[in-house]
Amino acid sequence: MQNFSHPQLLRRQQVELMTGLKRSSIYGRMNPQCKQYDPSFPKPVSLSVAGKGSVAWIASEVDAWIAGRIAASRLCSHGSN
């Protein structure tokens, strides 16, 4: 029997809780035209057949982004001493 990984999908409100960001900040980080743009922020996956409508984020990608922000924060704080 094969062992398949089942990625956990998060809806926007769950991403808000995990990251501390609100809706506008989440979408701003995904928009290259926005001053909040962050190319490392996880891209959502479409949950609808037509590719428009409901989206979700992969939990492991959100976790990795958070870990990256923590690491960058620690690196900056150590560099200022």
PDB file of all heavy atoms in Angstrom, residues 21-45:
ATOM      1  N   LEU A  21      -2.086  38.529   9.793  1.00  0.00           N
ATOM      2  CA  LEU A  21      -2.407  39.471   8.721  1.00  0.00           C
ATOM      3  C   LEU A  21      -3.908  39.489   8.469  1.00  0.00           C
ATOM      4  O   LEU A  21      -4.581  38.484   8.660  1.00  0.00           O
ATOM      5  CB  LEU A  21      -1.686  39.078   7.429  1.00  0.00           C
ATOM      6  CG  LEU A  21      -0.165  39.029   7.481  1.00  0.00           C
ATOM      7  CD1 LEU A  21       0.383  38.428   6.190  1.00  0.00           C
ATOM      8  CD2 LEU A  21       0.412  40.413   7.722  1.00  0.00           C
ATOM      9  N   LYS A  22      -4.393  40.606   8.000  1.00  0.00           N
ATOM     10  CA  LYS A  22      -5.794  40.715   7.602  1.00  0.00           C
ATOM     11  C   LYS A  22      -5.907  40.480   6.092  1.00  0.00           C
ATOM     12  O   LYS A  22      -4.915  40.426   5.369  1.00  0.00           O
ATOM     13  CB  LYS A  22      -6.363  42.084   7.972  1.00  0.00           C
ATOM     14  CG  LYS A  22      -6.491  42.263   9.472  1.00  0.00           C
ATOM     15  CD  LYS A  22      -7.499  41.284  10.017  1.00  0.00           C
ATOM     16  CE  LYS A  22      -7.712  41.448  11.500  1.00  0.00           C
ATOM     17  NZ  LYS A  22      -8.508  40.396  12.052  1.00  0.00           N
ATOM     18  N   ARG A  23      -7.139  40.374   5.611  1.00  0.00           N
ATOM     19  CA  ARG A  23      -7.426  40.069   4.211  1.00  0.00           C
ATOM     20  C   ARG A  23      -6.652  40.960   3.248  1.00  0.00           C
ATOM     21  O   ARG A  23      -5.989  40.481   2.335  1.00  0.00           O
ATOM     22  CB  ARG A  23      -8.928  40.208   3.963  1.00  0.00           C
ATOM     23  CG  ARG A  23      -9.339  39.912   2.541  1.00  0.00           C
ATOM     24  CD  ARG A  23     -10.835  40.197   2.352  1.00  0.00           C
ATOM     25  NE  ARG A  23     -11.282  39.818   1.042  1.00  0.00           N
ATOM     26  CZ  ARG A  23     -11.141  40.563  -0.038  1.00  0.00           C
ATOM     27  NH1 ARG A  23     -10.557  41.747   0.037  1.00  0.00           N
ATOM     28  NH2 ARG A  23     -11.572  40.144  -1.213  1.00  0.00           N
ATOM     29  N   SER A  24      -6.712  42.270   3.445  1.00  0.00           N
ATOM     30  CA  SER A  24      -6.062  43.188   2.502  1.00  0.00           C
ATOM     31  C   SER A  24      -4.551  42.994   2.487  1.00  0.00           C
ATOM     32  O   SER A  24      -3.915  43.101   1.427  1.00  0.00           O
ATOM     33  CB  SER A  24      -6.413  44.640   2.831  1.00  0.00           C
ATOM     34  OG  SER A  24      -5.977  44.975   4.129  1.00  0.00           O
ATOM     35  N   SER A  25      -3.964  42.693   3.635  1.00  0.00           N
ATOM     36  CA  SER A  25      -2.514  42.466   3.692  1.00  0.00           C
ATOM     37  C   SER A  25      -2.121  41.154   3.013  1.00  0.00           C
ATOM     38  O   SER A  25      -1.082  41.071   2.354  1.00  0.00           O
ATOM     39  CB  SER A  25      -2.031  42.463   5.139  1.00  0.00           C
ATOM     40  OG  SER A  25      -2.179  43.736   5.708  1.00  0.00           O
ATOM     41  N   ILE A  26      -2.946  40.140   3.167  1.00  0.00           N
ATOM     42  CA  ILE A  26      -2.681  38.857   2.503  1.00  0.00           C
ATOM     43  C   ILE A  26      -2.691  39.048   0.993  1.00  0.00           C
ATOM     44  O   ILE A  26      -1.753  38.650   0.298  1.00  0.00           O
ATOM     45  CB  ILE A  26      -3.708  37.792   2.938  1.00  0.00           C
ATOM     46  CG1 ILE A  26      -3.460  37.398   4.401  1.00  0.00           C
ATOM     47  CG2 ILE A  26      -3.669  36.569   2.018  1.00  0.00           C
ATOM     48  CD1 ILE A  26      -4.537  36.538   5.018  1.00  0.00           C
ATOM     49  N   TYR A  27      -3.740  39.671   0.481  1.00  0.00           N
ATOM     50  CA  TYR A  27      -3.829  39.857  -0.964  1.00  0.00           C
ATOM     51  C   TYR A  27      -2.809  40.877  -1.456  1.00  0.00           C
ATOM     52  O   TYR A  27      -2.304  40.770  -2.583  1.00  0.00           O
ATOM     53  CB  TYR A  27      -5.255  40.208  -1.374  1.00  0.00           C
ATOM     54  CG  TYR A  27      -6.139  38.980  -1.332  1.00  0.00           C
ATOM     55  CD1 TYR A  27      -7.028  38.771  -0.295  1.00  0.00           C
ATOM     56  CD2 TYR A  27      -6.041  37.997  -2.311  1.00  0.00           C
ATOM     57  CE1 TYR A  27      -7.810  37.627  -0.230  1.00  0.00           C
ATOM     58  CE2 TYR A  27      -6.808  36.846  -2.264  1.00  0.00           C
ATOM     59  CZ  TYR A  27      -7.696  36.667  -1.216  1.00  0.00           C
ATOM     60  OH  TYR A  27      -8.455  35.522  -1.168  1.00  0.00           O
ATOM     61  N   GLY A  28      -2.447  41.852  -0.624  1.00  0.00           N
ATOM     62  CA  GLY A  28      -1.397  42.797  -0.984  1.00  0.00           C
ATOM     63  C   GLY A  28      -0.057  42.108  -1.163  1.00  0.00           C
ATOM     64  O   GLY A  28       0.719  42.446  -2.058  1.00  0.00           O
ATOM     65  N   ARG A  29       0.238  41.130  -0.338  1.00  0.00           N
ATOM     66  CA  ARG A  29       1.503  40.402  -0.447  1.00  0.00           C
ATOM     67  C   ARG A  29       1.562  39.545  -1.707  1.00  0.00           C
ATOM     68  O   ARG A  29       2.641  39.163  -2.145  1.00  0.00           O
ATOM     69  CB  ARG A  29       1.726  39.548   0.800  1.00  0.00           C
ATOM     70  CG  ARG A  29       2.265  40.395   1.930  1.00  0.00           C
ATOM     71  CD  ARG A  29       2.271  39.701   3.257  1.00  0.00           C
ATOM     72  NE  ARG A  29       2.957  40.493   4.272  1.00  0.00           N
ATOM     73  CZ  ARG A  29       2.497  41.612   4.804  1.00  0.00           C
ATOM     74  NH1 ARG A  29       1.340  42.099   4.418  1.00  0.00           N
ATOM     75  NH2 ARG A  29       3.184  42.259   5.723  1.00  0.00           N
ATOM     76  N   MET A  30       0.411  39.256  -2.297  1.00  0.00           N
ATOM     77  CA  MET A  30       0.379  38.457  -3.530  1.00  0.00           C
ATOM     78  C   MET A  30       0.312  39.318  -4.788  1.00  0.00           C
ATOM     79  O   MET A  30       0.421  38.797  -5.884  1.00  0.00           O
ATOM     80  CB  MET A  30      -0.825  37.503  -3.491  1.00  0.00           C
ATOM     81  CG  MET A  30      -0.734  36.496  -2.373  1.00  0.00           C
ATOM     82  SD  MET A  30      -2.039  35.254  -2.395  1.00  0.00           S
ATOM     83  CE  MET A  30      -3.523  36.225  -2.423  1.00  0.00           C
ATOM     84  N   ASN A  31       0.150  40.632  -4.649  1.00  0.00           N
ATOM     85  CA  ASN A  31      -0.047  41.528  -5.783  1.00  0.00           C
ATOM     86  C   ASN A  31       1.235  42.299  -6.095  1.00  0.00           C
ATOM     87  O   ASN A  31       1.647  43.166  -5.321  1.00  0.00           O
ATOM     88  CB  ASN A  31      -1.180  42.513  -5.465  1.00  0.00           C
ATOM     89  CG  ASN A  31      -1.458  43.473  -6.587  1.00  0.00           C
ATOM     90  OD1 ASN A  31      -0.783  43.479  -7.610  1.00  0.00           O
ATOM     91  ND2 ASN A  31      -2.463  44.305  -6.405  1.00  0.00           N
ATOM     92  N   PRO A  32       1.865  42.010  -7.246  1.00  0.00           N
ATOM     93  CA  PRO A  32       3.114  42.699  -7.597  1.00  0.00           C
ATOM     94  C   PRO A  32       2.973  44.223  -7.707  1.00  0.00           C
ATOM     95  O   PRO A  32       3.958  44.938  -7.603  1.00  0.00           O
ATOM     96  CB  PRO A  32       3.489  42.098  -8.953  1.00  0.00           C
ATOM     97  CG  PRO A  32       2.768  40.803  -9.014  1.00  0.00           C
ATOM     98  CD  PRO A  32       1.504  40.990  -8.213  1.00  0.00           C
ATOM     99  N   GLN A  33       1.769  44.736  -7.902  1.00  0.00           N
ATOM    100  CA  GLN A  33       1.563  46.176  -8.001  1.00  0.00           C
ATOM    101  C   GLN A  33       1.404  46.846  -6.631  1.00  0.00           C
ATOM    102  O   GLN A  33       1.325  48.070  -6.549  1.00  0.00           O
ATOM    103  CB  GLN A  33       0.324  46.509  -8.851  1.00  0.00           C
ATOM    104  CG  GLN A  33       0.614  46.623 -10.336  1.00  0.00           C
ATOM    105  CD  GLN A  33       0.865  45.282 -10.980  1.00  0.00           C
ATOM    106  OE1 GLN A  33       0.100  44.341 -10.784  1.00  0.00           O
ATOM    107  NE2 GLN A  33       1.921  45.179 -11.754  1.00  0.00           N
ATOM    108  N   CYS A  34       1.366  46.080  -5.579  1.00  0.00           N
ATOM    109  CA  CYS A  34       1.136  46.613  -4.234  1.00  0.00           C
ATOM    110  C   CYS A  34       2.466  46.800  -3.507  1.00  0.00           C
ATOM    111  O   CYS A  34       3.390  46.000  -3.658  1.00  0.00           O
ATOM    112  CB  CYS A  34       0.240  45.646  -3.455  1.00  0.00           C
ATOM    113  SG  CYS A  34      -0.207  46.235  -1.812  1.00  0.00           S
ATOM    114  N   LYS A  35       2.548  47.852  -2.691  1.00  0.00           N
ATOM    115  CA  LYS A  35       3.787  48.088  -1.943  1.00  0.00           C
ATOM    116  C   LYS A  35       4.032  47.009  -0.889  1.00  0.00           C
ATOM    117  O   LYS A  35       5.154  46.850  -0.416  1.00  0.00           O
ATOM    118  CB  LYS A  35       3.770  49.472  -1.295  1.00  0.00           C
ATOM    119  CG  LYS A  35       2.731  49.663  -0.214  1.00  0.00           C
ATOM    120  CD  LYS A  35       2.791  51.064   0.363  1.00  0.00           C
ATOM    121  CE  LYS A  35       1.742  51.214   1.463  1.00  0.00           C
ATOM    122  NZ  LYS A  35       1.827  52.529   2.096  1.00  0.00           N
ATOM    123  N   GLN A  36       3.003  46.240  -0.535  1.00  0.00           N
ATOM    124  CA  GLN A  36       3.154  45.134   0.418  1.00  0.00           C
ATOM    125  C   GLN A  36       3.597  43.840  -0.256  1.00  0.00           C
ATOM    126  O   GLN A  36       3.766  42.821   0.418  1.00  0.00           O
ATOM    127  CB  GLN A  36       1.827  44.869   1.131  1.00  0.00           C
ATOM    128  CG  GLN A  36       1.351  45.990   2.010  1.00  0.00           C
ATOM    129  CD  GLN A  36      -0.008  45.674   2.617  1.00  0.00           C
ATOM    130  OE1 GLN A  36      -0.851  45.037   1.993  1.00  0.00           O
ATOM    131  NE2 GLN A  36      -0.202  46.116   3.851  1.00  0.00           N
ATOM    132  N   TYR A  37       3.811  43.858  -1.556  1.00  0.00           N
ATOM    133  CA  TYR A  37       4.124  42.637  -2.314  1.00  0.00           C
ATOM    134  C   TYR A  37       5.297  41.881  -1.700  1.00  0.00           C
ATOM    135  O   TYR A  37       6.329  42.456  -1.368  1.00  0.00           O
ATOM    136  CB  TYR A  37       4.431  42.979  -3.767  1.00  0.00           C
ATOM    137  CG  TYR A  37       4.793  41.781  -4.608  1.00  0.00           C
ATOM    138  CD1 TYR A  37       3.887  40.749  -4.805  1.00  0.00           C
ATOM    139  CD2 TYR A  37       6.044  41.669  -5.200  1.00  0.00           C
ATOM    140  CE1 TYR A  37       4.209  39.645  -5.575  1.00  0.00           C
ATOM    141  CE2 TYR A  37       6.379  40.582  -5.979  1.00  0.00           C
ATOM    142  CZ  TYR A  37       5.454  39.568  -6.159  1.00  0.00           C
ATOM    143  OH  TYR A  37       5.774  38.473  -6.919  1.00  0.00           O
ATOM    144  N   ASP A  38       5.116  40.589  -1.542  1.00  0.00           N
ATOM    145  CA  ASP A  38       6.148  39.695  -1.022  1.00  0.00           C
ATOM    146  C   ASP A  38       6.149  38.445  -1.895  1.00  0.00           C
ATOM    147  O   ASP A  38       5.270  37.594  -1.771  1.00  0.00           O
ATOM    148  CB  ASP A  38       5.847  39.335   0.435  1.00  0.00           C
ATOM    149  CG  ASP A  38       6.859  38.375   1.038  1.00  0.00           C
ATOM    150  OD1 ASP A  38       7.773  37.903   0.329  1.00  0.00           O
ATOM    151  OD2 ASP A  38       6.738  38.099   2.244  1.00  0.00           O
ATOM    152  N   PRO A  39       7.126  38.340  -2.800  1.00  0.00           N
ATOM    153  CA  PRO A  39       7.133  37.177  -3.708  1.00  0.00           C
ATOM    154  C   PRO A  39       7.278  35.839  -2.985  1.00  0.00           C
ATOM    155  O   PRO A  39       6.973  34.799  -3.557  1.00  0.00           O
ATOM    156  CB  PRO A  39       8.327  37.436  -4.632  1.00  0.00           C
ATOM    157  CG  PRO A  39       9.161  38.438  -3.926  1.00  0.00           C
ATOM    158  CD  PRO A  39       8.255  39.227  -3.020  1.00  0.00           C
ATOM    159  N   SER A  40       7.706  35.867  -1.724  1.00  0.00           N
ATOM    160  CA  SER A  40       7.843  34.610  -0.989  1.00  0.00           C
ATOM    161  C   SER A  40       6.536  34.177  -0.314  1.00  0.00           C
ATOM    162  O   SER A  40       6.457  33.060   0.202  1.00  0.00           O
ATOM    163  CB  SER A  40       8.941  34.735   0.078  1.00  0.00           C
ATOM    164  OG  SER A  40       8.547  35.611   1.121  1.00  0.00           O
ATOM    165  N   PHE A  41       5.524  35.056  -0.336  1.00  0.00           N
ATOM    166  CA  PHE A  41       4.258  34.692   0.307  1.00  0.00           C
ATOM    167  C   PHE A  41       3.587  33.573  -0.488  1.00  0.00           C
ATOM    168  O   PHE A  41       3.546  33.608  -1.718  1.00  0.00           O
ATOM    169  CB  PHE A  41       3.317  35.902   0.404  1.00  0.00           C
ATOM    170  CG  PHE A  41       2.164  35.667   1.337  1.00  0.00           C
ATOM    171  CD1 PHE A  41       2.343  35.782   2.703  1.00  0.00           C
ATOM    172  CD2 PHE A  41       0.921  35.302   0.860  1.00  0.00           C
ATOM    173  CE1 PHE A  41       1.289  35.545   3.588  1.00  0.00           C
ATOM    174  CE2 PHE A  41      -0.130  35.065   1.726  1.00  0.00           C
ATOM    175  CZ  PHE A  41       0.056  35.191   3.095  1.00  0.00           C
ATOM    176  N   PRO A  42       3.059  32.552   0.191  1.00  0.00           N
ATOM    177  CA  PRO A  42       2.455  31.410  -0.510  1.00  0.00           C
ATOM    178  C   PRO A  42       1.298  31.820  -1.417  1.00  0.00           C
ATOM    179  O   PRO A  42       0.489  32.685  -1.068  1.00  0.00           O
ATOM    180  CB  PRO A  42       1.940  30.516   0.615  1.00  0.00           C
ATOM    181  CG  PRO A  42       2.589  30.990   1.861  1.00  0.00           C
ATOM    182  CD  PRO A  42       2.969  32.416   1.642  1.00  0.00           C
ATOM    183  N   LYS A  43       1.247  31.192  -2.559  1.00  0.00           N
ATOM    184  CA  LYS A  43       0.153  31.418  -3.509  1.00  0.00           C
ATOM    185  C   LYS A  43      -0.991  30.459  -3.166  1.00  0.00           C
ATOM    186  O   LYS A  43      -0.758  29.304  -2.823  1.00  0.00           O
ATOM    187  CB  LYS A  43       0.611  31.145  -4.942  1.00  0.00           C
ATOM    188  CG  LYS A  43       1.863  31.896  -5.362  1.00  0.00           C
ATOM    189  CD  LYS A  43       1.653  33.384  -5.395  1.00  0.00           C
ATOM    190  CE  LYS A  43       2.866  34.127  -5.895  1.00  0.00           C
ATOM    191  NZ  LYS A  43       3.774  34.597  -4.860  1.00  0.00           N
ATOM    192  N   PRO A  44      -2.220  30.935  -3.269  1.00  0.00           N
ATOM    193  CA  PRO A  44      -3.350  30.043  -2.988  1.00  0.00           C
ATOM    194  C   PRO A  44      -3.594  29.075  -4.144  1.00  0.00           C
ATOM    195  O   PRO A  44      -3.111  29.299  -5.264  1.00  0.00           O
ATOM    196  CB  PRO A  44      -4.522  31.013  -2.840  1.00  0.00           C
ATOM    197  CG  PRO A  44      -4.145  32.180  -3.691  1.00  0.00           C
ATOM    198  CD  PRO A  44      -2.651  32.294  -3.595  1.00  0.00           C
ATOM    199  N   VAL A  45      -4.305  28.025  -3.851  1.00  0.00           N
ATOM    200  CA  VAL A  45      -4.745  27.088  -4.884  1.00  0.00           C
ATOM    201  C   VAL A  45      -6.246  27.254  -5.055  1.00  0.00           C
ATOM    202  O   VAL A  45      -6.970  27.529  -4.096  1.00  0.00           O
ATOM    203  CB  VAL A  45      -4.407  25.617  -4.522  1.00  0.00           C
ATOM    204  CG1 VAL A  45      -2.912  25.406  -4.489  1.00  0.00           C
ATOM    205  CG2 VAL A  45      -5.023  25.205  -3.214  1.00  0.00           C
TER     206      VAL A  45
END
